[in-house]
């Protein structure tokens, strides 16, 4: 450690509170009073008292003198860990008293005397932690969620939507169960569960707010015995196991919750469509100028959305193609979005795309009006940022129909099946008259003669779901586990 002579000691490894506690405990262990140590280092007792209580940072020369007087080394005084549990509790509480929680509650810092029992210190720290948790829950407003979502999307953009550490996790798990490649079967999903120490149990009374429940104590994974319409029985198994594979802990913020959800979905995609085989197939398709999301979907027996997601993971890293991805509800609302090709998505003042109305001229909206639901829909769209080509499909879900589209810049269209399409659109969604306002003649005729009963989104005015696992009724969850836990 390099320290400038006579400079204050700072940094995480040299926390003033920790140094002060070490000095006091070593002094007491050697039977020295504060006056004794002050005399040995030629300082006033009050000055040393300020150091021992962490109210003053010692300079190097004084710290060296203190170390010599206590028969120890300066490195020993600068260790980050306090000497015993009592010191750890005192330091934690003193830090808490300097924090915003105590200040907001109007609790003035107080001296922690020797007579204060350890359990009282633990109780105060637990109470402070619970107040912080409740404050975090209350701050999970829609605005907070939008900001967290924007930050996460920026991270994905910086990484071209590619996370190498998650790819490595998937490779290790697939190798552990000897997956030969190709579509991942239900049996292989069960093998992955067994490899992670879980048995699968299909039940009819899964809590309504959950897709699966893991009983970590008994190594049991509960899933619904009813597969939703057009559902994939592998997905809930892999989603439940992904959090165990990744070592997810209870999320302490909505941003962490969103990050865990993205990581889970990414890992599931990487397990169902392994990187090595899929990248090789896509590179071969590019050489033939025949890239197709449908071909990727069919090769691995996954949904179109899963194939589209996986393509966006691999396209830039392995093919050198920037892309954008959109999932749009039949109401026109964007529910998922990603881009690294400079396409200009509609956004609110926070920069959030999700929840915005998709331009009516874009492929993602036009596809809802296409009668042919069997074949993919292709379209070129001229925008203020240039021309983009997109391929899209409509898929049904429990929340209504959604369109899923993948798009690229005009120069990259040459690599894709569907580039010959004659479908064209013009979008100027940055200009209000593009589609956010109706044509003038329609508005004139109906402006004062229409009054719709709006289907208000249930989260419009509410804060986001609170709790360790947002949206999950933990009472239902724990009662379910209690009812299904094996005896003994």
């Amino acid at each position: 450690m390099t320290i400038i002579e006579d400079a204050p000691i700072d940094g995480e490894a040299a926390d003033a509170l920790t140094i002060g506690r070490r000095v006091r405990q070593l002094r007491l262990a050697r039977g020295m009073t504060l006056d004794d140590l002050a005399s040995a280092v030629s300082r006033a007792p009050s000055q040393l008292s300020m150091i021992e209580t962490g109210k003053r940072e010692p300079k190097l020369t004084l710290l060296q003198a203190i170390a010599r007087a206590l028969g120890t080394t300066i490195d020993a005084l600068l260790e980050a860990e306090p000497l015993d549990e009592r010191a750890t509790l005192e330091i934690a509480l003193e830090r808490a008293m300097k924090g915003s929680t105590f200040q907001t509650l109007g609790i003035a810092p107080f001296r922690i005397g020797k007579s204060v029992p350890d359990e009282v210190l633990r109780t105060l720290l637990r109470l402070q932690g619970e107040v912080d948790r409740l404050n975090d829950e209350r701050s999970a407003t829609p605005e907070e969620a939008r900001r967290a979502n924007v930050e996460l999307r920026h991270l994905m953009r910086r990484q071209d939507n590619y996370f190498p550490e998650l790819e490595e996790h998937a490779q290790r798990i697939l190798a552990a169960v000897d997956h030969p490649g190709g579509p991942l079967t239900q049996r292989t999903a069960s093998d992955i569960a067994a490899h992670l120490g879980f048995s699968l149990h299909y039940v009819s009374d899964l809590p309504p707010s959950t897709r699966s429940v893991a009983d970590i104590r008994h190594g049991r994974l509960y899933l619904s015995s009813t597969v939703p319409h057009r559902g994939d029985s592998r997905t809930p198994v892999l989603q439940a196991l992904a959090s165990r594979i990744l070592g997810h802990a209870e999320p302490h913020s909505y941003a962490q919750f969103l990050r865990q959800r993205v990581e889970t979905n990414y890992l599931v995609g990487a397990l169902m469509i392994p990187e090595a085989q899929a990248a090789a197939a896509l590179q071969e398709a590019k050489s033939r100028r025949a890239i197709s999301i449908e071909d990727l979907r069919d090769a691995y027996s996954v949904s179109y959305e899963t194939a589209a997601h996986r393509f966006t993971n691999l396209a830039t890293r392995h093919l050198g193609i920037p892309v954008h991805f959109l999932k749009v509800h039949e109401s026109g609302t964007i529910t998922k979005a990603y881009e690294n090709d400079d396409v200009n998505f509609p956004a609110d003042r926070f920069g959030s795309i999700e929840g915005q109305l998709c331009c009516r001229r874009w492929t993602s909206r036009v596809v809802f009006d296409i009668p042919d639901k069997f074949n993919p829909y292709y379209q070129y769209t001229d925008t203020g940022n240039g021309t983009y080509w997109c391929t899209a499909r409509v898929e049904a879900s429990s929340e209504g129909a959604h369109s899923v589209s993948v798009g690229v810049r005009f120069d990259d269209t040459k690599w894709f099946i569907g580039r010959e399409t004659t479908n064209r659109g013009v979008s100027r969604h940055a200009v209000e008259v593009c589609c956010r306002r109706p044509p003038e003649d329609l508005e004139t005729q109906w402006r004062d003669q229409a009054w719709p009963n709006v289907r208000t989104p249930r989260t419009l005015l509410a804060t986001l779901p609170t709790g360790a696992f947002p949206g999950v009724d933990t009472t239902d969850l724990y009662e379910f586990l209690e009812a299904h836990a094996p005896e003994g």
Side-chain angles (χ1 to χ4, degrees), residues 346-347 356-357 360 428-438:
Q356 298 300 300
L357 279 177
R360 297 172 63 88
R428 296 288 186 267
H429 71 265
V431 181
E432 187 175 24
V433 294
C434 171
C435 69
R436 281 179 287 180
R437 290 191 61 179

Side-chain angles (χ1 to χ4, degrees), residues 54-356:
K55 297 177 181 177
R56 176 176 295 177
E57 295 181 357
K59 297 184 182 298
L60 177 61
T61 52
L62 177 55
L63 199 62
Q64 289 173 329
I66 291 173
R68 286 194 297 269
L70 295 176
T72 187
T73 65
I74 190 171
D75 287 339
L77 294 179
L78 293 178
E79 288 181 12
E81 293 298 324
L83 289 175
D84 56 28
E85 182 183 7
R86 173 70 183 198
T88 301
L89 291 171
E90 289 182 3
I91 289 173
L93 186 55
E94 288 199 31
R95 286 175 178 159
M97 286 190 289
K98 295 177 181 178
S100 60
T101 300
F102 273 69
Q103 293 173 3
T104 301
L105 295 174
I107 301 176
F110 53 86
R111 179 178 175 275
I112 305 172
K114 296 179 182 178
S115 61
V116 179
D118 290 1
E119 190 54 41
V120 171
L121 302 185
R122 294 191 190 94
T123 299
L124 289 172
L125 288 170
R126 282 196 293 268
L127 288 172
Q128 186 254 349
E130 180 64 9
V131 171
D132 285 346
R133 185 186 70 81
L134 292 172
N135 285 338
D136 287 342
E137 286 185 356
R138 293 183 184 124
S139 69
T141 61
E143 290 78 10
E144 179 74 15
R146 286 198 289 271
R147 289 191 179 97
N149 207 28
V150 170
E151 292 175 4
L152 182 56
R153 183 161 45 79
H154 288 170
L155 170 65
M156 295 165 67
R157 193 181 194 279
R158 289 194 300 271
Q159 299 191 180
D160 294 325
N161 204 21
Y162 180 84
F163 292 81
E165 67 278 10
L166 299 180
E167 300 287 353
E168 292 171 4
H169 274 298
Q171 292 169 14
R172 285 196 295 269
I173 291 296
L174 293 173
V177 296
D178 297 322
H179 179 54
L184 189 142
T185 64
Q186 179 70 25
R187 176 177 294 180
T188 303
S190 299
D191 291 341
I192 293 174
H195 171 72
L196 296 172
F198 284 91
S199 57
L200 303 184
H201 302 265
Y202 292 88
V203 297
S204 60
D205 60 340
L206 202 66
S209 58
T210 67
R211 294 177 179 175
S212 65
V213 173
D215 180 346
I216 300 172
R217 179 187 303 169
H218 301 105
R220 295 160 71 94
L221 180 57
Y222 297 100
L223 302 121
S224 175
S225 56
T226 303
V227 178
H229 177 60
R230 301 175 67 92
D232 188 329
S233 59
R234 299 167 298 176
T235 301
V237 177
L238 296 176
Q239 285 179 331
L241 297 174
S243 293
R244 310 310 308 164
I245 295 170
L246 297 173
H248 284 163
E250 177 183 317
H252 297 297
S253 67
Y254 203 80
Q256 187 179 5
F257 169 73
L258 288 177
R259 175 64 183 262
Q260 289 182 358
R261 187 176 66 174
V262 167
E263 290 178 345
T264 294
N265 290 335
Y266 190 109
L267 182 59
V268 170
L271 289 169
M272 298 183 76
I273 306 179
E275 178 182 22
Q277 297 93 334
L282 288 171
Q283 288 165 347
E284 191 275 333
K286 183 183 178 185
S287 70
R288 294 185 289 108
R289 301 192 175 207
I291 297 175
S292 167
I293 307 300
E294 283 77 12
D295 288 350
L296 188 63
R297 174 200 63 188
D298 297 341
Y300 290 93
S301 300
V302 296
S303 69
Y304 185 85
E305 182 178 351
T306 297
H309 264 301
R310 197 65 180 126
F311 179 77
T312 63
N313 298 149
L314 305 175
T316 306
R317 176 60 60 97
H318 291 284
L319 305 176
I321 302 175
V323 298
H324 67 264
F325 169 95
L326 266 184
K327 182 177 180 181
V328 177
H329 187 257
E330 59 186 339
S331 63
T333 305
I334 298 173
T335 59
K336 290 183 183 179
Y338 165 78
E339 61 83 19
N340 68 345
D341 59 359
D342 296 323
V343 69
N344 186 10
F345 286 142
D348 64 12
R349 63 187 181 89
F350 298 103
S352 180
I353 296 168
E354 289 78 6
Q356 298 300 300

